[in-house]
Amino acid sequence: MKVSLVQMNAIDNKQVNLKVVNKLIRKIVAVESPRLVVLPECFDFHGGTTETATAEAECFPDGQSYNFLSSIAKELGIYLHAGSIIEKFDGKIYNSTVVFDPLGSEVARYRKIHLFDIETPDGVIYKESDTYDRGDQIITYEIDGVRFGCTICYDIRFPELYAELVKKGAEVIVIPAAFTKQTGEAHWELLCRARAIETQTYVLACGTTGTHVEDGEDRYTYGNSMIVDPWGKILIRADHEVCTVTSTIDLNYVSEVREKLPAINHHVL
Amino acid sequence: MKVSLVQMNAIDNKQVNLKVVNKLIRKIVAVESPRLVVLPECFDFHGGTTETATAEAECFPDGQSYNFLSSIAKELGIYLHAGSIIEKFDGKIYNSTVVFDPLGSEVARYRKIHLFDIETPDGVIYKESDTYDRGDQIITYEIDGVRFGCTICYDIRFPELYAELVKKGAEVIVIPAAFTKQTGEAHWELLCRARAIETQTYVLACGTTGTHVEDGEDRYTYGNSMIVDPWGKILIRADHEVCTVTSTIDLNYVSEVREKLPAINHHVL
């Protein structure tokens, strides 16, 4: 199965971001014909303030981003794992992945469980819980008989979520992200590979990159989108540029790794 | 707090191994005066067959290795985290860590929970459960007000054990190991660092190295003992040689990392 990741520099302007995404998706589909295209976290709106972000929230199945994604998935005949959109539901705001099938139908919705409330070593504070409520559902979906698991960014630090996805049959786990440059340099590659090794799944890790203005200040994300195999080998990785990366993933290799080193069957705690 | 790891090539001869360990411990204590010395998994007997290994099992608090460790800890006035000894208890055989204090008293005993039943990619089969029963207790102990957590080798692939140790207050986690060369090259450093990053603890990872004869065949372990800080940085690491490595660990840094990026307080599943 061929999969493509779109690495982009999302800003706090939905019109601009959707134009960029539209172009990048069409280009990669024309060149590579992937079965699945993955977008990063907050691909349609990144930064701003709690107020401007909240104002961009969409009530699915309505909304500009939602409709755009559904249409383009259908037009191009692809699965589209839309990193995350700001979702308004029942008076709450979520950081939500939406996945569309080649008919343009929503096949999965995952609300980010672990919210990023931290201070980086150089003193920049992030507090996602000021804007978002947290999800509480473990979400998977299927493409051509293969089960995919949903996570977002900071979730990567919580292996128990990944173990739950494996219990539900995941053989591929997707991690749309907007990892900070600083924590990215220290931890991103290592955690992507650790999750792949422990869960013996392919990991599709798709990040935003570059400078974003948030609360009036410049913030930087790390890029370095990558596809990792179940043995922890990086099949392809981007650097800091806006780009797409594509690889074919061999689902037989998941069974092969799991047969020889059946760690996922050895959990006892 | 200064800590030292003893990296050695244990063989299937307890007399020889204890002589080597005796020499290495005395030397590092004379030179570095560590508060704690860590030995690798199976430091006193490595390889052989299920029969010869079982014949070496000790009934604590009796046994040649047990008594040697207690004596040397007392004589040198050190804490001694004795990687693992084959323990016989209640008709069962365990792969057990024993920890001694500077008075020579046992302060912790951990029976390996996850047994290594795998086939390496080049076809070598390991089946620890043929020899051992598995433990089921999460074990920590304290040195100078700092809590240490116990794990052994293959446990490293199961982050839920590490999360449990953190719940019990661990700020340092010890991983005596006998990692195979092949899985070591692919995964050892990465998993040591991932466990440190997720748990925001110091990781003391102490391995055997070199060639071992098991069931009449040559097996190779990976060495590469290392001390990792709670941000995932390797403070010191060995290569493949028989050696000791020492580092001072700054326990204030654990609080500092946990305060800024309080991931260990964000578990919700």
Side-chain angles (χ1 to χ4, degrees):
Chain A
M1 185 187 297
K2 204 182 248 192
V3 297
S4 297
L5 317 180
V6 173
Q7 175 166 299
M8 60 180 286
N9 174 237
I11 62 170
D12 58 342
N13 184 320
K14 194 179 273 191
Q15 316 310 322
V16 172
N17 292 331
L18 292 185
K19 266 187 205 162
V20 172
V21 170
N22 180 50
K23 209 165 155 183
L24 288 167
I25 296 177
R26 285 179 191 281
K27 192 173 162 194
I28 193 66
V29 170
V31 176
E32 296 280 5
S33 303
R35 184 74 169 139
L36 169 71
V37 174
V38 179
L39 308 179
E41 185 186 20
C42 304
F43 70 92
D44 71 336
F45 191 87
H46 191 135
T49 62
T50 294
E51 290 68 33
T52 59
T54 308
E56 294 294 342
E58 301 190 359
C59 296
F60 305 157
D62 233 5
Q64 188 184 1
S65 296
Y66 189 99
N67 289 326
F68 159 75
L69 295 161
S70 169
S71 303
I72 196 167
K74 187 175 177 181
E75 182 193 337
L76 302 178
I78 55 168
Y79 279 91
L80 184 53
H81 188 114
S84 75
I85 305 176
I86 307 168
E87 180 195 6
K88 193 173 186 171
F89 178 79
D90 207 11
K92 292 183 173 177
I93 301 289
Y94 297 99
N95 187 346
S96 300
T97 295
V98 201
V99 185
F100 296 90
D101 71 11
L103 299 174
S105 304
E106 181 183 335
V107 292
R109 189 185 307 179
Y110 167 67
R111 294 172 175 144
K112 189 177 184 179
I113 292 177
H114 301 94
L115 300 178
F116 190 56
D117 290 347
I118 79 139
E119 183 182 341
T120 59
D122 59 1
V124 180
I125 292 171
Y126 294 80
K127 198 152 193 304
E128 281 189 353
S129 63
D130 278 351
T131 304
Y132 297 107
D133 288 275
R134 73 168 194 83
D136 59 5
Q137 300 294 312
I138 314 287
I139 302 294
T140 68
Y141 61 92
E142 203 180 291
I143 301 179
D144 306 336
V146 178
R147 192 146 291 277
F148 284 66
C150 295
T151 70
I152 300 177
C153 200
Y154 188 52
D155 284 333
I156 200 174
R157 294 184 186 272
F158 302 89
E160 59 271 27
L161 170 58
Y162 293 75
E164 289 299 321
L165 289 167
V166 170
K167 275 189 210 162
K168 287 184 166 245
E171 295 186 297
V172 183
I173 296 181
V174 188
I175 316 178
F179 234 69
T180 74
K181 187 164 181 288
Q182 198 170 25
T183 56
E185 280 166 357
H187 298 157
W188 170 248
E189 176 194 320
L190 192 133
L191 292 174
C192 289
R193 294 182 58 209
R195 294 298 86 87
I197 290 168
E198 286 153 25
T199 56
Q200 309 184 304
T201 61
Y202 281 95
V203 161
L204 313 182
C206 179
T208 54
T209 190
T211 308
H212 315 264
V213 181
E214 200 163 325
D215 292 326
E217 281 177 11
D218 281 357
R219 305 280 174 96
Y220 308 92
T221 57
Y222 182 58
N224 280 274
S225 299
M226 63 183 73
I227 298 174
V228 186
D229 81 13
W231 191 247
K233 190 179 159 200
I234 297 171
L235 298 181
I236 189 165
R237 98 183 266 168
D239 197 334
H240 296 285
E241 68 285 4
V242 171
C243 65
T244 50
V245 294
T246 298
S247 181
T248 298
I249 60 176
D250 170 12
L251 279 315
N252 293 325
Y253 188 52
V254 174
S255 324
E256 199 183 305
V257 167
R258 290 178 175 187
E259 203 173 305
K260 293 212 163 178
L261 201 163
I264 59 163
N265 301 326
H266 291 162
H267 291 274
V268 291
L269 295 181
Chain B
M1 185 188 296
K2 205 182 246 191
V3 297
S4 297
L5 318 181
V6 172
Q7 176 166 299
M8 60 181 284
N9 173 238
I11 61 169
D12 57 343
N13 183 321
K14 195 181 272 192
Q15 316 310 321
V16 172
N17 293 331
L18 291 186
K19 267 187 203 160
V20 172
V21 170
N22 181 49
K23 209 165 157 185
L24 288 167
I25 296 178
R26 286 179 190 280
K27 191 172 164 196
I28 193 68
V29 170
V31 176
E32 296 278 7
S33 303
R35 185 73 169 140
L36 170 70
V37 174
V38 179
L39 307 179
E41 185 186 20
C42 304
F43 70 92
D44 71 337
F45 191 87
H46 192 136
T49 62
T50 294
E51 290 66 33
T52 59
T54 308
E56 294 294 343
E58 301 191 359
C59 296
F60 305 156
D62 233 3
Q64 189 183 2
S65 296
Y66 189 98
N67 290 325
F68 159 75
L69 295 161
S70 170
S71 304
I72 197 167
K74 187 175 177 183
E75 181 193 337
L76 302 177
I78 55 168
Y79 280 91
L80 185 53
H81 188 114
S84 75
I85 305 177
I86 308 168
E87 181 195 5
K88 192 172 186 172
F89 178 80
D90 206 13
K92 293 183 173 176
I93 301 288
Y94 297 99
N95 186 346
S96 300
T97 294
V98 201
V99 184
F100 296 91
D101 71 10
L103 299 174
S105 303
E106 181 183 333
V107 293
R109 189 184 307 178
Y110 166 67
R111 294 173 176 145
K112 187 176 184 179
I113 292 176
H114 302 93
L115 300 177
F116 190 57
D117 290 347
I118 79 141
E119 181 182 343
T120 59
D122 59 3
V124 181
I125 292 170
Y126 294 81
K127 198 152 193 301
E128 281 189 353
S129 63
D130 277 351
T131 305
Y132 298 106
D133 288 276
R134 74 169 194 82
D136 59 6
Q137 300 293 312
I138 314 289
I139 302 294
T140 67
Y141 62 92
E142 203 181 291
I143 302 178
D144 306 336
V146 177
R147 192 145 291 279
F148 285 65
C150 295
T151 71
I152 300 176
C153 200
Y154 188 53
D155 284 334
I156 202 174
R157 295 183 185 272
F158 303 89
E160 58 272 27
L161 170 58
Y162 293 76
E164 289 299 320
L165 290 168
V166 170
K167 275 189 209 161
K168 287 185 165 244
E171 296 186 297
V172 183
I173 296 180
V174 189
I175 316 179
F179 235 70
T180 75
K181 187 165 182 288
Q182 197 170 25
T183 56
E185 281 166 356
H187 298 158
W188 170 248
E189 176 194 320
L190 191 133
L191 292 174
C192 288
R193 294 181 59 208
R195 294 297 87 86
I197 290 168
E198 286 153 25
T199 56
Q200 309 183 306
T201 61
Y202 281 96
V203 160
L204 313 182
C206 178
T208 54
T209 190
T211 309
H212 316 265
V213 180
E214 201 165 323
D215 292 326
E217 282 178 11
D218 280 357
R219 305 280 174 95
Y220 308 93
T221 58
Y222 182 59
N224 281 274
S225 299
M226 63 182 75
I227 299 175
V228 186
D229 82 12
W231 191 247
K233 190 179 158 198
I234 297 172
L235 299 181
I236 189 165
R237 98 182 267 169
D239 197 335
H240 295 285
E241 68 286 4
V242 170
C243 65
T244 51
V245 295
T246 298
S247 181
T248 298
I249 59 176
D250 171 11
L251 280 315
N252 293 324
Y253 188 52
V254 174
S255 324
E256 200 184 305
V257 167
R258 290 178 175 188
E259 202 173 304
K260 292 211 165 178
L261 201 164
I264 59 164
N265 302 325
H266 291 161
H267 290 274
V268 291
L269 295 180

